[in-house]
Amino acid sequence: MDLKSNHTAPVLTDSPPISKSRLGVHSLPYSPPGPAFSPGLILTIPRKKTGILDDVRSCSWLDAMKSSSPPHRKITKGVNNEFATSDADVAYRSWMVKYPSALKSFEQITNFAKGKRIALFMDYDGTLSPIVDNPDCAFMTEAMRAAVKKVAKYFPTAIISGRSRDKVYEFVGLTELYYAGSHGMDIMGPVTQSISDDPINCFRSTDKQGKDVNLFQPAAEFLPMIDKVYRSLVESTKGIAGAKVENNKFCVSVHYRNVDEKSWDVVAQCVHDILKDYPRLRLTHGRKVLEVRPVINWDKGKAVTFLLESLGLNDCDDVLPIYVGDDRTDEDAFKVLREGNRGYGILVSSVPKESNAKYSLREPAEVMEFLKSLVSWKKSSAL
Ligand SMILES: O=P(O)(O)OC[C@H]1O[C@H](O[C@H]2O[C@H](CO)[C@@H](O)[C@H](O)[C@H]2O)[C@H](O)[C@@H](O)[C@@H]1O
């Protein structure tokens, strides 16, 4: 990717408002254009006459909300204390033929990695920490922290999260790795001249240890808008029991995990009513969360490419990037690796899901095993 041209002027995707009829509620007039942005960041906003966002074109918001995080699978035991084979187990096992376990395929992965430098990218929620009801309590275990710390000692490692960068750093607390927040719209990476010459979005800063870093924030101009939308969403959802709005700096999460399913349409309506006035914002779906973000052509996939370039590892035949993630937003990163035929995506999921990943892991505990295996392999191959 030509970062000079691409990250200076991310190209807009479409951002039309969502038709309320898709929500089964009253219909909306077409929204007026939002505030103007400086040239360079925002280009044109192609609008679809349907007035339906990309993500909801093929299915309604509510369907997407219902399917956004399948219930945890219960492992059932039979009378003899043996694991009973349920339909779900059979389905999962046949799904694993297409997405084999990265642990069981470890030798295959490391055979391919021989003579290559692995660069590791990981998502946070659902990958390094288990999914919990309260997003403020998504702590990683000490064992996981130790595993991440160790792996980062041997391989360049970055966490790319939907959370704000500060928040994810607060959870992880390790200085050995790189962090990207807001789905890659807030990257703190090493200082590199080749990517430092975008005066609008990329600037020099210092990290918490006083080390020089590059900050890349392609959606910087959206900050006041996101803040305003955050405050409006807090206000409009305050009457919905269980709803929670999280400010992720360049995007906003509206959680409905703890909202009675009967009220999910009310949550969707609140988000919709606000989004209609902001055509430069769009909606994506996460795990029981609606995510409002700028309509710039930037995602976790672009963040991976950006970080590889920052680390001097892009376009190198001897680099093997591996991305581990559990969410729909991680698919952008899986896709970049798959399409460039350059590395592996590993999907963390305990239920079958279509994915651009090549391998799978069932849960964060398996992610930890995988990280430990990478370290042992690296140590033994250095002997
Ligand atoms: O890219 P990620 O690091 O995976 O962040 C995606 C979202 O993760 C968080 O929400 C999810 O995890 C919560 C804690 O387990 C859970 O309660 C919620 O239902 C999940 O959607 C985070 O709170 C969001 O802001 C992130 O966008």
Side-chain angles (χ1 to χ4, degrees):
M1 180 175 85
D2 175 5
L3 277 167
K4 276 185 189 143
S5 54
N6 265 349
H7 73 248
T8 306
V11 182
L12 277 180
T13 56
D14 57 340
S15 66
I18 300 93
S19 129
K20 281 191 179 177
S21 58
R22 297 292 292 252
L23 290 170
V25 284
H26 56 279
S27 65
L28 270 180
Y30 188 73
S31 60
F37 290 90
S38 67
L41 181 64
I42 304 297
L43 300 177
T44 51
I45 310 170
R47 294 243 163 218
K48 303 278 185 308
K49 287 215 174 90
T50 56
I52 299 165
L53 285 172
D54 254 354
D55 274 12
V56 291
R57 197 165 290 131
S58 54
C59 64
S60 76
W61 271 32
L62 283 175
D63 288 343
M65 286 168 83
K66 280 176 190 155
S67 65
S68 78
S69 189
H72 294 298
R73 257 173 5 101
K74 286 205 177 69
I75 296 170
T76 43
K77 283 193 176 178
V79 272
N80 297 328
N81 218 22
E82 287 160 353
F83 290 111
T85 309
S86 67
D87 288 353
D89 292 325
V90 174
Y92 192 80
R93 258 186 257 136
S94 56
W95 175 79
M96 281 178 81
V97 174
K98 191 168 171 196
Y99 305 98
S101 160
L103 287 173
K104 295 208 173 100
S105 314
F106 194 73
E107 208 179 317
Q108 192 185 347
I109 295 173
T110 48
N111 278 341
F112 190 74
K114 265 186 202 136
K116 293 189 168 72
R117 292 172 286 165
I118 290 178
L120 194 59
F121 300 92
M122 290 175 291
D123 166 56
Y124 182 74
D125 290 279
T127 297
L128 296 178
S129 67
I131 292 294
V132 291
D133 284 347
N134 183 353
D136 294 336
C137 296
F139 306 113
M140 67 199 288
T141 62
E142 279 309 320
M144 179 65 100
R145 184 168 293 104
V148 174
K149 188 178 167 89
K150 254 202 179 140
V151 87
K153 191 173 152 194
Y154 291 95
F155 310 99
T157 301
I159 294 182
I160 305 180
S161 172
R163 303 255 192 183
S164 74
R165 185 169 45 76
D166 282 348
K167 184 78 190 176
V168 78
Y169 176 74
E170 211 179 280
F171 275 132
V172 179
L174 296 170
T175 53
E176 291 83 349
L177 34 147
Y178 300 101
Y179 293 88
S182 312
H183 297 292
M185 287 181 282
D186 186 8
I187 304 179
M188 188 179 268
V191 175
T192 330
Q193 197 47 50
S194 66
I195 59 150
S196 304
D197 48 10
D198 171 1
I200 302 176
N201 301 308
C202 196
F203 49 93
R204 226 30 107 78
S205 185
T206 46
D207 67 9
K208 291 200 164 64
Q209 285 68 48
K211 199 172 72 208
D212 278 349
V213 289
N214 258 348
L215 256 190
F216 182 61
Q217 298 180 332
E221 289 182 75
F222 286 83
L223 209 51
M225 182 189 275
I226 290 289
D227 203 50
K228 206 166 156 202
V229 166
Y230 164 71
R231 281 183 276 113
S232 305
L233 284 166
V234 168
E235 187 57 30
S236 73
T237 58
K238 71 179 182 203
I240 309 172
K244 184 177 170 71
V245 185
E246 190 181 0
N247 189 340
N248 289 332
K249 191 160 182 175
F250 296 108
C251 41
V252 180
S253 292
V254 183
H255 294 274
Y256 57 92
R257 179 170 296 278
N258 303 317
V259 174
D260 188 321
E261 198 169 330
K262 288 193 207 90
S263 301
W264 287 5
D265 59 341
V266 186
V267 177
Q269 189 66 58
C270 284
V271 177
H272 176 263
D273 284 351
I274 286 168
L275 263 190
K276 75 177 170 25
D277 293 327
Y278 294 93
R280 288 183 173 88
L281 298 180
R282 68 179 170 122
L283 176 96
T284 55
H285 294 268
R287 298 180 69 172
K288 300 263 194 286
V289 67
L290 297 175
E291 313 213 64
V292 174
R293 54 155 97 186
V295 219
I296 61 167
N297 186 12
W298 196 265
D299 53 38
K300 289 185 175 185
K302 297 248 177 358
V304 166
T305 308
F306 182 92
L307 275 161
L308 282 170
E309 178 146 322
S310 310
L311 294 162
L313 300 174
N314 207 22
D315 294 330
C316 304
D317 290 342
D318 67 341
V319 172
L320 179 70
I322 294 179
Y323 187 103
V324 193
D326 70 314
D327 199 323
R328 279 195 213 181
T329 60
D330 299 312
E331 290 296 328
D332 295 316
F334 297 153
K335 209 162 164 215
V336 160
L337 299 187
R338 179 177 282 268
E339 284 174 357
N341 199 20
R342 54 211 299 218
Y344 298 136
I346 301 178
L347 174 68
V348 184
S349 181
S350 59
V351 290
K353 269 186 202 171
E354 262 317 296
S355 175
N356 282 298
K358 186 169 168 63
Y359 295 106
S360 68
L361 289 169
R362 209 178 264 262
E363 56 195 4
E366 286 200 355
V367 174
M368 188 169 80
E369 281 318 304
F370 181 75
L371 301 183
K372 286 182 179 172
S373 305
L374 278 178
V375 170
S376 306
W377 167 74
K378 185 70 183 178
K379 278 184 177 166
S380 65
S381 58
L383 294 176

